[in-house]
Amino acid sequence: MNTTTSIADVLTHGALAILAYAILGVLLLVAGFYVVDLATPGRLSKIIRTDRNPNATVLAASSVAGVGLVVAASIWSSGGALREGLLATLVFGLVGIAVQTLGMVAFDKVAGISVRELVRETTLQPAAVLLGVTHFFIGLITAVAVI
């Protein structure tokens, strides 16, 4: 730290960096949710909130958790330079969302599980748990690739 830099400057810069990363992270999580929403039949928010569908909830929550891992890894690997770190977080976060979605669709096809049929079920199904865990680990694998 430079001797001419005051503690107030350091704290202000740090607080602004936290705020900037938090805002970007939340925006990426929202984007991730909407991409997952587009990849599944029906409106997820309605299916979860109104229909109280546990299968849609598991799939959405695990996908958002996977995106969260990618965003956290992007921030972790940013190296302290705020502008470059925010850009890297944005790019890696968007790539992570795309990979998460493609991986989700591919695995669902390979496993032979119809998400469309799954989210129509009103009781928690084993397939939802399997896909939920898979979606989470697709996010984790992508996050480790970022680091």
Side-chain angles (χ1 to χ4, degrees):
M1 181 167 61
N2 185 329
T3 55
T4 61
T5 304
S6 73
I7 191 71
D9 290 339
V10 171
L11 292 175
T12 300
H13 177 73
L16 291 174
I18 291 168
L19 180 63
Y21 277 115
I23 290 169
L24 179 58
V26 169
L27 291 174
L28 286 168
L29 286 176
V30 169
F33 177 82
Y34 280 110
V35 170
V36 170
D37 189 14
L38 291 173
T40 56
R43 298 280 308 157
L44 275 179
S45 58
K46 179 195 176 297
I47 294 169
I48 293 168
R49 188 181 58 245
T50 306
D51 301 343
R52 303 179 60 81
N53 184 293
N55 301 305
T57 303
V58 167
L59 296 176
S62 61
S63 295
V64 169
V67 170
L69 290 170
V70 173
V71 171
S74 298
I75 293 169
W76 179 267
S77 67
S78 66
L82 183 59
R83 191 170 305 143
E84 292 84 359
L86 288 170
L87 180 60
T89 299
L90 175 64
V91 171
F92 293 149
L94 292 174
V95 169
I97 290 168
V99 168
Q100 176 91 5
T101 305
L102 293 174
M104 177 182 82
V105 170
F107 186 84
D108 298 356
K109 295 287 186 211
V110 169
I113 299 170
S114 169
V115 174
R116 181 172 303 280
E117 291 175 21
L118 188 59
V119 297
R120 288 189 183 131
E121 295 287 335
T122 57
T123 59
L124 183 61
Q125 300 295 308
V129 175
L130 171 64
L131 293 182
V133 169
T134 302
H135 297 174
F136 176 81
F137 278 103
I138 290 169
L140 179 61
I141 291 165
T142 306
V144 170
V146 167
I147 298 173

